[in-house]
Amino acid sequence: MGIRVEKDVRVPMRDGVTLATDLWIPEGGPAPTLLVRLPYGKDTLLQGAFAAQTNPEIFALLEAGYAVVWQDCRGSFRSPGEFTPFVNEPHDGADTIAWLREQPWCDGAIGTYGPSYLGFTQWASASQAPEGLRAIVPTVTTTDYYRAPWYSDGGALSWHTALFWTTMMALYAEKNALAAGAGDPTILMDVVGLVSDPRPQLDKLPVSDQPLITKLMPWWSDWIRHPDRDMYWQDVAVAENFDKITVPALHIGGWFDLFVNDTIRSYTRMKNEGGSIEAREGQRLLIGPWDHICTDGVYPDRQFGITAPPAASEITDVHIRFYDRWLRGRADALADTAPVRIFVMGIDQWRDEQDWPLIDTQYTEYFLDSDGHAHTSSGDGLLSAERPTREAVDTYSYDPANPVPSIGGRVMLPAAIKGAGPADQRSVESRDDVLCFTTPELVDAVEVTGHISLILHVSSSARDTDFTGKLVDVFPDGRAIYLTDGIMRARYRNSLADPESLEPEKVYEITLDLAVTSNVFLPGHRIRLEVSSSNFPRYDRNTNTGGVIAEDTNQACVVAVNRILHGPNYPSRLILPIIRR
């Protein structure tokens, strides 16, 4: 099969800026076309992380008769202009699609694919409902930049992700500037130092004091100045306008990816709110045992077997069949496939489902119980399906100068956080500021698949503090393997847009979103819930002052005495989506 490749074709935008674009065109006449837009350099799509992951294999796409187009986003690599995250992607994507439809080698049907920011650009294009866009495949990505990746469902700053990604973009910008003869080698070396060892900057207070990043990436300061989900974030959130999106989407995510909660939320909301029948009925979901970068299912503390990688689930074929259905109109292309496909951990198997949440989900309450000594995994904290008969309070001190360290979990990259994904939590469970509530050893298997929430009755000595929850699978050999977690910044307990201070020592009922998972707790295992007030540097530290956290210094930090109440009058409880089959 013949292929024509054209490099650095200049595609004009409505304001006159031209974006560098590579064309991969199969012979044989006009073809449906697949577009990828990215700020990391289109040449990286044939190498490194973006050539692996969950991307389809380009030569298989070409062999299937699809043209493939890769484009550097505005202000990145070979495309001129100024790069400001999110802002220009809707119009630039729509303009590129309009240009593609005018080319003689394009048959007018357009699809998209790609992970992370490449997913941002897909949703941005789709939000403009451009003529010809027929299907998108957003992977490990988001439709709400506040909830993920920059802040969170509970209002805490996703500190490691925000700093690392911004630093990485600064590195790209300085390298490109030097290549163009306009950069400063000294600045480049400073940025390289930040990327290679981010810990000093992660530990630094105030959070806003990042002069090099602020100088190179001025939009960074805007993010820090908007800790609430105010109009700044609402205006750029695709999730505010799902009714304007008219295309089917294949949502691909990983249980340990920082975007997974929003991946599934986008799937369910598009099914209900999409702007066309095709959009509402054409949504599909695939979730594997992956984090944001690692997709082989192999982690130091947990391995998911040979069927875990995307290749084992025929990820390229999944893309092609989806495009065949919506770009070529082949009604039978998806006839023998289910709309939802998930990897169920514990039994480590792929499984097809007809909907999400699963149609036979039984939300089951597991109550927190103790004699007031649930500190550490050696304490007396119990997690029980029976309502407790005793009132008790577990009290601990949260010191911002000594936060609970992030061990694995949903982080962007493993740098400085001892790896991502299903890591063993025993080292943090030995701390006095971590409460552990654990079931007895299971006699029968218990499947937990779906959305998890944690209702806590709490009080604090501070006017603002954080509360965290983490679901853990305790193996017979003692390993406490991370599954999912969440955080609630107390000022956002009622609204992410309208913060409210706590009244010290007053008891509040708060609800933490612990995101999603799919795991079978096998016989001999135990289900454990960890409760604390920090998870650093996954999230920034609450300084407990009730003021502007990003501006607080070390000297301003306050130690908070936090209490978890449980019993008949204060039924603190974990709500698990149980599947019985």
Side-chain angles (χ1 to χ4, degrees), residues 245-538:
I245 298 176
T246 59
V247 296
L250 166 59
H251 309 252
I252 300 177
W255 293 126
F256 305 110
D257 176 45
L258 64 154
F259 294 117
V260 67
N261 212 28
D262 201 67
T263 295
I264 293 179
R265 179 163 43 226
S266 298
Y267 166 80
T268 56
R269 287 192 58 193
M270 277 297 297
K271 284 190 64 178
N272 294 319
E273 304 171 36
S276 70
I277 293 175
E278 292 80 7
R280 293 188 294 274
E281 296 182 354
Q283 302 299 310
R284 298 176 79 84
L285 179 68
L286 188 153
I287 307 290
W290 315 316
D291 61 60
H292 198 66
I293 298 297
C294 175
T295 58
D296 59 11
V298 177
Y299 296 91
D301 299 325
R302 180 75 166 86
Q303 296 82 47
F304 293 104
I306 60 174
T307 65
S313 58
E314 300 179 324
I315 199 70
T316 295
D317 185 61
V318 169
H319 280 75
I320 291 173
R321 296 178 73 171
F322 187 70
Y323 296 137
D324 283 351
R325 171 64 185 90
W326 295 110
L327 273 67
R328 288 191 163 124
R330 296 178 180 172
D332 63 342
L334 300 173
D336 60 346
T337 63
V340 175
R341 185 165 176 79
I342 58 174
F343 188 92
V344 182
M345 299 179 290
I347 58 174
D348 295 352
Q349 296 175 3
W350 287 97
R351 196 169 72 198
D352 291 339
E353 298 289 346
Q354 294 304 310
D355 203 358
W356 183 280
L358 275 55
I359 57 176
D360 50 351
T361 302
Q362 299 179 33
Y363 291 100
T364 305
E365 296 178 329
Y366 283 74
F367 294 89
L368 281 61
D369 193 9
S370 79
D371 278 329
H373 305 289
H375 315 81
T376 80
S377 58
S378 301
D380 64 4
L382 297 176
L383 194 62
S384 173
E386 302 296 326
R387 286 181 173 268
T389 59
R390 54 185 174 178
E391 297 285 353
V393 179
D394 283 287
T395 303
Y396 61 93
S397 294
Y398 158 52
D399 183 356
N402 183 28
V404 176
S406 304
I407 306 295
R410 294 188 177 108
V411 292
M412 184 176 182
L413 289 173
I417 313 189
K418 301 181 181 178
D424 189 347
Q425 303 297 304
R426 281 180 289 185
S427 62
V428 300
E429 291 178 351
S430 65
R431 293 173 56 109
D432 284 340
D433 56 353
V434 176
L435 308 179
C436 294
F437 300 88
T438 312
T439 66
E441 188 174 292
L442 298 175
V443 176
D444 300 312
V446 176
E447 179 179 338
V448 174
T449 296
H451 297 268
I452 298 163
S453 58
L454 173 61
I455 299 174
L456 295 176
H457 293 261
V458 304
S459 69
S460 177
S461 62
R463 293 183 58 80
D464 185 43
T465 192
D466 290 348
F467 292 96
T468 64
K470 186 188 302 174
L471 182 65
V472 172
D473 185 350
V474 182
F475 281 59
D477 61 8
R479 282 177 296 152
I481 300 299
Y482 168 97
L483 289 173
T484 188
D485 69 346
I487 190 169
M488 171 57 66
R489 184 144 290 172
R491 67 176 69 184
Y492 297 117
R493 63 193 180 278
N494 295 321
S495 169
L496 290 172
D498 299 306
E500 301 175 47
S501 295
L502 295 173
E503 181 180 326
E505 311 305 343
K506 180 179 177 179
V507 177
Y508 296 88
E509 181 183 270
I510 64 172
T511 300
L512 281 70
D513 184 345
L514 300 195
V516 292
T517 195
S518 180
N519 185 72
V520 176
F521 294 84
L522 298 172
H525 289 228
R526 291 176 290 162
I527 304 172
R528 176 171 292 160
L529 170 71
E530 297 175 15
V531 176
S532 192
S533 288
S534 52
N535 182 357
F536 179 82
R538 168 68 177 99

Side-chain angles (χ1 to χ4, degrees), residues 31-327:
T33 300
L34 305 177
L35 171 64
V36 178
R37 305 187 62 252
L38 72 161
Y40 307 124
K42 50 189 169 55
D43 294 339
T44 65
L45 288 168
L46 286 176
Q47 59 189 350
F50 288 101
Q53 288 201 6
T54 47
N55 272 348
E57 207 279 322
I58 181 173
F59 295 106
L61 298 176
L62 294 165
E63 184 68 28
Y66 289 93
V68 178
V69 175
W70 295 342
Q71 183 180 81
D72 287 336
C73 288
R74 177 188 296 252
S76 69
F77 289 80
R78 292 190 176 92
S79 287
E82 181 178 347
F83 176 73
T84 302
F86 332 130
V87 173
N88 295 299
E89 310 307 354
H91 288 160
D92 286 355
D95 291 352
T96 301
I97 290 170
W99 181 87
L100 290 173
R101 284 171 52 80
E102 295 175 352
Q103 306 312 302
W105 45 265
C106 175
D107 72 359
I110 310 296
T112 62
Y113 68 88
S116 198
Y117 197 99
L118 289 64
F120 295 3
T121 62
Q122 293 182 70
W123 282 114
S125 299
S127 71
Q128 303 300 295
E131 185 176 356
L133 182 62
R134 303 281 180 81
I136 63 176
V137 186
T139 301
V140 292
T141 195
T142 184
T143 55
D144 187 334
Y145 310 120
Y146 180 92
R147 293 180 184 272
W150 313 128
Y151 284 84
S152 64
D153 285 301
L157 174 65
S158 293
W159 179 221
H160 178 266
T161 296
L163 182 66
F164 187 90
W165 189 83
T166 305
T167 306
M168 182 178 69
M169 297 308 294
L171 177 61
Y172 287 154
E174 284 306 298
K175 288 175 66 176
N176 292 338
L178 272 178
D184 184 335
T186 302
I187 292 179
L188 176 61
M189 293 309 299
D190 289 341
V191 177
V192 169
L194 292 181
V195 172
S196 60
D197 184 14
R199 195 76 207 199
Q201 298 304 310
L202 290 167
D203 291 341
K204 185 179 181 180
L205 289 179
V207 162
S208 61
D209 185 17
Q210 303 290 337
L212 181 59
I213 296 302
T214 301
K215 176 183 178 181
L216 298 176
M217 302 284 129
W219 35 265
W220 158 263
S221 297
D222 292 336
W223 295 355
I224 299 302
R225 284 196 296 265
H226 291 272
D228 310 335
R229 191 179 180 276
D230 55 17
M231 292 303 297
Y232 174 84
W233 297 106
Q234 294 173 36
D235 285 346
V236 296
V238 175
E240 296 288 321
N241 298 289
F242 278 136
D243 60 336
K244 296 179 181 177
I245 298 176
T246 59
V247 296
L250 166 59
H251 309 252
I252 300 177
W255 293 126
F256 305 110
D257 176 45
L258 64 154
F259 294 117
V260 67
N261 212 28
D262 201 67
T263 295
I264 293 179
R265 179 163 43 226
S266 298
Y267 166 80
T268 56
R269 287 192 58 193
M270 277 297 297
K271 284 190 64 178
N272 294 319
E273 304 171 36
S276 70
I277 293 175
E278 292 80 7
R280 293 188 294 274
E281 296 182 354
Q283 302 299 310
R284 298 176 79 84
L285 179 68
L286 188 153
I287 307 290
W290 315 316
D291 61 60
H292 198 66
I293 298 297
C294 175
T295 58
D296 59 11
V298 177
Y299 296 91
D301 299 325
R302 180 75 166 86
Q303 296 82 47
F304 293 104
I306 60 174
T307 65
S313 58
E314 300 179 324
I315 199 70
T316 295
D317 185 61
V318 169
H319 280 75
I320 291 173
R321 296 178 73 171
F322 187 70
Y323 296 137
D324 283 351
R325 171 64 185 90
W326 295 110
L327 273 67

